C-alpha cells in the first residue's frame, strides 16, 4: 500500500472508529452526567497520586484535581477505592518501563488520539465498592464489594475512584478486610496465569507434583506457595535465610537458602521437579531447566521476560519481532532436551479471582501484608517496594470507609 493510500485508510479508520465510539457513548452521556449532577460538581474531580513524567520517587505528586473516571463502555464499573496494593511493576512503570506497549494497548490504532499518558495513576491492586455500573453489567450491582488486579494500560488505584471492566473484577472474599484483599489480586492473577494457563496445573492434577519456586518470599511467591499447597503439590522454595521460617509457615515443604552457596548445586542434589516457577530471572535459566524431569512434560515458567524492555527499546513492531524470535529459539533449544520453556505473564481475570476468593474464604490462602501505609504516605510505600527483599505485600489504605 502506498504511503498516501495508507494515510487515507488510517484517516478513514479513525473517522469510522470515532463515529462508533460516539454512538456507543451516546447513551452514556446521560448516565454520566446524571452521576455528576447527582453527586455534585465536586465529583468531577478526585484526590489521587499521579506522575506527570517518568523518574524516581520525586515525580510522585498528590493532587485533589485528578479527573474523575468516566464509564466509556457499557460493561464498565466505577469503583470507590478503599485499599490499593503496590507491586515491583509500579516502581518500574514510574520509571517508564513498558510505556511503548502500554500506549499501544490504550489506543492501538491511535484512534482516540489520546496523546500523552500523563497524568498517570499507578497502583495495580484494588479493593473497594462499586459506585456505578454500566448498562450491560449483569453480575455486579452498586454497593457490591469487589477486588481486582488492574491492567497496566489502565489508570491505577492510587486514587479515590477507578474504572474497570466487569470481567476484570470479582466479589471480594467476605472473610478478609479491604486492606488484606488489596494484597492479593495482582500477584494471584500473575501466579494463576503462570501456573494454570501456562504451566497447565490445576487443583485436579497437582497432587504429589514436585514444584520449585525460585524467589518464594515476595508477593508472587507467597501466594503461589499457598495455592500449590492447597492443591496438594510438594513445594520447594528458594529464599534468603531470614525468610525460611516465614515461607515454611505458608506451607513450603522444603526451603533452600540461596545465600548459603551456589544455589544450583544445592538444588541439583534434590529429586527433579515437574515445574519450576522463576521469579528471579537473570542467569537462572542457564541452570534451572536442568532441574526438571526430562521427557515427562515438565515445564520451566519464568515471569522475568524481556518483552516490555524490547518494545521500549525497539518500538512495538520490532520489539515484538525480537521477542518472538527470542522465545521461539529458547523453546526449541529446550524442547530437544525434553523440557518445556515458557514465559508467564500477568493476565487480569475476574473468573480467576472468583476461584481464588473461594480459596481465601475456605481458609486455604491468607493475605500476606508486610507493611501498610496511609494515602498520604504513598512515596514511603514506593520506597519500601523499591528496597526489595519483600516478605509479602505493601498496601496503601486509600479511604477509611472500608473494613
Ligand atoms: N511477567 C509478568 O507479567 C510479571 C512479572 N513479575 C515479576 O516476577 C518477579 C516476582 O514478583 P514479586 O513476587 O511481586 O516481587 P517481590 O519483590 O515481591 O519479591 C521478590 C523476592 O525475591 C527474593 N529474591 C531476590 N533475589 C533472589 C534470589 N536470587 N533467589 C531467591 N529469592 C530471591 C526477594 O527477597 P530477598 O532479596 O530478601 O531474598 C523477594 O522476596 C519480579 O521480577 C516481577 O517483576 C511479577 C508480576 C507480573
Amino acid at each position: 500500500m502506498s504511503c498516501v493510500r495508507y494515510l487515507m485508510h488510517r484517516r478513514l479508520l479513525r473517522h469510522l472508529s470515532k463515529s462508533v465510539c460516539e454512538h456507543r457513548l451516546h447513551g452514556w452521556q446521560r448516565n454520566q452526567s446524571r452521576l455528576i449532577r447527582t453527586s455534585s460538581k465536586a465529583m468531577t474531580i478526585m484526590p489521587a497520586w499521579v506522575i506527570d513524567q517518568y523518574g524516581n520517587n520525586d515525580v510522585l505528586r498528590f493532587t485533589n484535581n485528578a479527573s474523575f473516571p468516566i464509564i466509556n463502555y457499557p460493561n464498565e464499573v466505577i469503583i470507590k477505592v478503599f485499599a490499593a496494593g503496590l507491586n515491583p511493576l509500579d516502581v518500574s512503570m514510574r520509571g517508564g518501563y513498558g510505556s511503548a506497549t502500554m500506549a499501544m494497548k490504550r489506543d492501538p490504532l491511535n484512534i482516540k488520539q489520546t496523546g500523552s499518558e500523563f497524568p498517570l495513576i499507578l497502583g495495580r491492586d484494588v479493593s473497594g465498592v462499586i459506585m456505578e455500573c454500566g448498562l450491560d453489567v449483569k453480575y455486579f450491582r452498586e454497593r457490591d464489594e469487589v477486588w481486582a488486579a488492574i491492567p497496566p494500560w489502565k489508570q491505577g488505584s492510587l486514587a479515590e475512584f477507578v474504572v474497570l471492566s466487569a470481567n476484570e473484577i470479582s466479589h471480594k472474599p467476605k472473610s478478609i478486610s479491604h486492606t488484606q484483599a488489596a494484597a492479593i489480586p495482582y500477584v494471584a492473577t500473575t501466579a494463576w496465569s503462570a501456573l494454570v494457563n501456562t504451566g497447565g496445573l490445576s487443583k485436579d492434577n497437582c497432587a504429589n507434583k514436585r514444584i520449585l519456586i525460585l524467589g518464594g518470599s515476595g508477593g508472587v511467591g507467597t501466594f503461589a506457595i499457598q495455592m500449590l499447597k492447597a492443591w496438594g503439590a510438594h513445594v520447594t522454595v528458594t529464599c534468603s535465610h531470614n525468610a525460611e521460617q516465614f515461607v515454611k509457615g505458608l506451607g513450603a515443604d522444603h526451603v533452600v537458602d540461596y545465600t548459603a552457596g551456589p544455589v544450583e548445586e544445592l538444588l541439583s542434589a534434590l529429586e527433579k521437579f515437574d515445574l519450576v516457577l522463576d521469579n528471579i530471572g537473570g542467569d537462572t535459566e542457564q541452570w534451572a531447566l536442568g532441574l526438571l524431569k526430562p521427557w515427562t512434560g515438565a515445564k520451566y515458567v519464568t515471569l522475568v521476560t524481556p518483552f516490555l524492555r524490547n518494545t521500549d527499546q525497539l518500538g512495538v513492531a520490532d520489539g515484538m519481532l525480537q521477542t518472538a524470535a527470542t522465545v521461539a529459539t529458547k523453546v526449541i533449544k529446550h524442547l530437544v532436551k525434553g523440557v518445556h520453556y515458557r514465559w508467564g505473564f500477568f493476565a487480569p481475570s475476574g473468573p480467576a479471582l472468583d476461584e481464588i476468593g473461594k480459596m481465601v474464604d475456605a481458609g486455604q490462602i491468607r493475605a500476606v501484608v508486610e507493611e501498610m501505609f496511609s494515602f498520604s504516605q504513598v512515596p514511603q510505600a514506593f520506597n519500601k517496594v523499591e528496597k526489595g527483599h519483600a516478605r509479602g505485600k505493601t498496601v496503601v489504605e486509600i479511604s477509611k470507609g472500608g473494613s
Side-chain angles (χ1 to χ4, degrees), residues 86-89 92 97 152 186-187 189-191 193 213-222 237-243 246 256-259 263 278-281 284 287 302-305 308 343-347 370 385 387-394:
L86 284 190
N87 291 276
L89 178 67
S92 306
Y97 174 73
Y186 184 77
V187 291
T189 46
T190 298
S193 165
I213 301 174
L214 298 169
S217 52
V220 174
T222 51
V237 163
T238 66
C239 62
S240 39
H241 178 68
N242 68 2
F246 168 64
V256 174
D257 172 9
Y258 75 93
T259 62
V263 69
D278 185 357
N279 297 324
I280 304 304
T284 306
W287 47 264
T302 180
L303 283 171
V304 186
T305 80
L308 292 178
W343 285 355
F345 293 100
F346 157 74
E370 184 183 11
V385 177
K387 279 187 191 136
H389 308 295
R391 301 289 177 261
K393 292 302 305 290
T394 297

Side-chain angles (χ1 to χ4, degrees), residues 46-53 57-67 94 118-122 155 158-159 375 378:
M46 64 172 180
W49 282 89
V50 299
I51 61 169
D52 307 298
Q53 58 180 306
N57 237 12
D58 295 343
V59 299
L60 289 166
R61 173 174 70 86
F62 179 78
T63 175
N64 274 311
N65 297 324
S67 299
R94 190 197 63 198
F118 301 120
L120 184 63
I121 302 172
L122 300 170
Q155 290 287 39
L158 292 173
F375 198 21
V378 164

Side-chain angles (χ1 to χ4, degrees), residues 71-91:
I71 288 181
N72 276 318
Y73 297 97
N75 69 333
E76 289 180 332
V77 300
I78 293 177
I79 299 166
K80 179 170 171 56
V81 183
F82 287 142
L86 284 190
N87 291 276
L89 178 67
D90 291 302
V91 174

Side-chain angles (χ1 to χ4, degrees), residues 184-327:
I184 294 178
Y186 184 77
V187 291
T189 46
T190 298
W192 187 278
S193 165
L195 295 170
V196 178
N197 304 344
T198 307
L201 299 180
S202 75
K203 65 177 186 315
D204 302 320
N205 69 8
C206 258
N208 301 321
K209 279 217 165 97
R210 285 181 54 79
I211 314 291
L212 170 63
I213 301 174
L214 298 169
S217 52
V220 174
T222 51
F223 176 83
I225 294 169
Q226 299 185 80
M227 185 176 87
L228 291 168
K229 283 312 297 172
W231 288 351
H234 180 280
V235 180
T236 301
V237 163
T238 66
C239 62
S240 39
H241 178 68
N242 68 2
E244 201 170 321
Q245 288 314 312
F246 168 64
V247 294
K248 277 194 172 155
L250 295 171
D253 297 289
H254 188 70
V255 181
V256 174
D257 172 9
Y258 75 93
T259 62
V263 69
E264 58 272 38
E265 283 174 26
L266 299 172
L267 289 167
S268 52
L270 304 176
E271 191 187 326
K272 291 206 185 291
F273 296 92
D274 296 288
L275 188 140
V276 174
L277 176 66
D278 185 357
N279 297 324
I280 304 304
D283 67 355
T284 306
E285 65 182 55
Q286 307 299 324
W287 47 264
L289 284 106
L291 304 172
L292 291 169
K293 298 173 184 168
W295 308 112
T296 58
K299 291 191 180 83
Y300 164 86
V301 183
T302 180
L303 283 171
V304 186
T305 80
F307 172 57
L308 292 178
R309 197 116 17 233
N310 282 347
T311 51
D312 285 344
Q313 286 169 1
L314 304 172
V316 173
D318 288 350
M320 280 182 162
L321 270 177
Q322 171 75 52
T323 299
T326 307
V327 75

